[in-house]
Amino acid sequence: AKDSGRNSYCYFSQKMQDTALRKLHLKNQLSHAIENRQLNVVYQPIISIKDKRVNKFEALVRWNNQGEWVSPEEFIQIAEEFSLIKELGQLVLSQACLVLKQLKQQGFNDVVFNINRSVFEIPLNQSENKQWLNTIEHFGLQPSDICFELTESALAPDKRNNEILFNLLRESGCTIALDDFGTGYSSLAYVRRIPIDYIKIDRSFITDMSTNEDDNILVSTIIAMSKALGKKVVAEGVETKEQLDLLSALSCDYIQGYLFSKPLPAEQLANYLSQFNFD
Ligand code: C2E
Ligand code: CA
Ligand code: CA
Ligand code: CA
């Protein structure tokens, strides 16, 4: 028994070392990839249920590291930990702005792109905020062409003066979405204090809403609350017609998910917009 105890100890410590090594390895590769602009962005349509049309896309970063797709969940965390996230964010924003500009030039004038921003990318002052705005303006776009998605974890209390930061973002003219709603803590406090335009209900609530009564109640309640507060609601991770029908009956404003489309490469957006058919 002692031996096996010792073995499992070795096993775990080996595993921890492997994890640490992989992280360091990825950090170096990622830093290189950012420098050489080797990250890609794909775009997932967000569909308006009421208008039965699409005019928003969420930008999602992709990284193929020498033949291996690394999940954003993994490398975003590494980028945050090793202070690469601001450069990564700038790269995503500038790639997205270029694509958006081209779409507008093709006549898709009212398209908006949603861009994810991590806690470490929230501007700390006016000049950091200006950097982002400069990028948007550099491509001949308006701040209102961009919506920033922020997760609740970005808003952990005491870390930053969230209200000031949000007001900075807001003054810039960009809209703001609260991402992964319901998964963090003190969600409700944020909704009350912070000037957000959209609430995105996390996929985990949508997945089981047709089979789990509690999830159904939660989703209905979030939608009713958001509407009463004058916010628009987006349901994330909609995969089935059944979910769409339930959300539609609850007057959810927008849906996003594999039912309509996976994230698409930039070259396919114009085609998607012109061929789109809700039914
Ligand atoms: P998120 O912001 O919650 O993005 C939604 C995730 O759900 C995306 O995963 C998307 O591909 C996936 N998804 C969309 N519809 C469905 C569906 O119907 N079913 C299922 N199973 N999944 C669906 P992805 O692209 O792997 O991104 C994961 C997370 O990485 C994002 O979660 C976001 O937090 C982060 N991320 C992605 N791109 C960026 C970025 O450019 N900057 C930052 N800071 N974070 C990013
Ligand atoms: Ca998001
Ligand atoms: Ca989300
Ligand atoms: Ca997420």
Side-chain angles (χ1 to χ4, degrees), residues 36-55:
N36 294 289
R37 306 180 69 85
Q38 285 162 346
L39 300 185
N40 241 311
V41 184
V42 289
Y43 304 87
Q44 188 175 35
I46 300 172
I47 287 98
S48 160
I49 298 183
K50 186 170 124 266
D51 302 336
K52 300 198 168 196
R53 63 190 288 266
V54 49
N55 72 336

Side-chain angles (χ1 to χ4, degrees), residues 6-261:
R6 196 174 294 139
N7 281 341
S8 59
Y9 172 77
C10 288
Y11 170 76
F12 283 120
S13 94
Q14 183 64 49
K15 213 174 159 182
M16 276 160 64
Q17 203 181 348
D18 288 351
T19 307
L21 282 177
R22 174 173 165 84
K23 218 183 210 181
L24 277 180
H25 177 72
L26 283 180
K27 178 215 108 184
N28 290 329
Q29 308 269 332
L30 181 61
S31 155
H32 191 257
I34 294 172
E35 214 169 292
N36 294 289
R37 306 180 69 85
Q38 285 162 346
L39 300 185
N40 241 311
V41 184
V42 289
Y43 304 87
Q44 188 175 35
I46 300 172
I47 287 98
S48 160
I49 298 183
K50 186 170 124 266
D51 302 336
K52 300 198 168 196
R53 63 190 288 266
V54 49
N55 72 336
K56 297 176 195 295
F57 294 87
E58 178 177 2
L60 295 157
V61 67
R62 292 291 177 264
W63 180 30
N64 191 305
N65 183 27
Q66 299 166 326
E68 179 206 9
W69 289 102
V70 187
S71 124
E73 311 269 8
E74 184 174 22
F75 71 81
I76 292 289
Q77 203 205 325
I78 292 174
E80 289 174 348
E81 197 173 323
F82 296 95
S83 308
L84 299 168
I85 193 69
K86 284 194 179 170
E87 282 134 89
L88 186 151
Q90 275 291 337
L91 183 56
V92 170
L93 181 68
S94 57
Q95 280 194 30
C97 284
L98 179 62
V99 171
L100 184 54
K101 182 68 194 169
Q102 287 165 349
L103 280 179
K104 288 181 189 280
Q105 282 167 345
Q106 292 171 75
F108 302 105
N109 296 310
D110 63 350
V111 177
V112 167
F113 274 5
N114 284 26
I115 311 273
N116 291 285
R117 278 178 92 166
S118 109
V119 52
F120 303 99
E121 294 176 83
I122 296 187
L124 293 175
N125 50 51
Q126 199 71 58
S127 98
E128 279 191 22
N129 204 31
K130 199 79 192 102
Q131 255 192 344
W132 284 73
L133 289 175
N134 286 344
T135 304
I136 294 168
E137 278 160 21
H138 172 81
F139 288 94
L141 296 168
Q142 307 287 322
S144 57
D145 296 326
I146 301 291
C147 173
F148 286 113
E149 296 196 0
L150 299 155
T151 53
E152 290 175 55
S153 64
L155 308 172
D158 303 330
K159 275 205 181 143
R160 307 244 166 105
N161 194 335
N162 292 314
E163 284 172 67
I164 293 179
L165 296 176
F166 266 72
N167 287 327
L168 258 182
L169 271 182
R170 168 42 72 82
E171 279 163 27
S172 70
C174 299
T175 52
I176 301 173
L178 193 50
D179 204 354
D180 299 347
F181 186 81
T183 59
Y185 56 105
S186 41
S187 322
L188 294 175
Y190 292 124
V191 171
R192 187 160 56 92
R193 285 208 312 264
I194 284 167
I196 46 175
D197 306 281
Y198 297 89
I199 287 179
K200 297 190 79 174
I201 308 177
D202 192 68
R203 171 160 60 91
S204 57
F205 298 105
I206 307 300
T207 305
D208 295 325
M209 70 178 292
S210 33
T211 50
N212 182 315
E213 180 66 13
D214 289 348
D215 282 354
N216 195 310
I217 291 170
L218 281 170
V219 172
S220 325
T221 307
I222 294 172
I223 293 174
M225 176 204 72
S226 306
K227 294 194 155 278
L229 293 170
K231 324 271 183 210
K232 299 275 184 203
V233 199
V234 185
E236 298 193 294
V238 177
E239 294 184 350
T240 68
K241 180 76 170 52
E242 202 177 2
Q243 291 163 353
L244 169 63
D245 291 342
L246 284 169
L247 290 161
S248 197
L250 294 170
S251 305
C252 181
D253 300 291
Y254 296 91
I255 60 156
Q256 182 181 353
Y258 297 166
L259 176 65
F260 277 98
S261 176

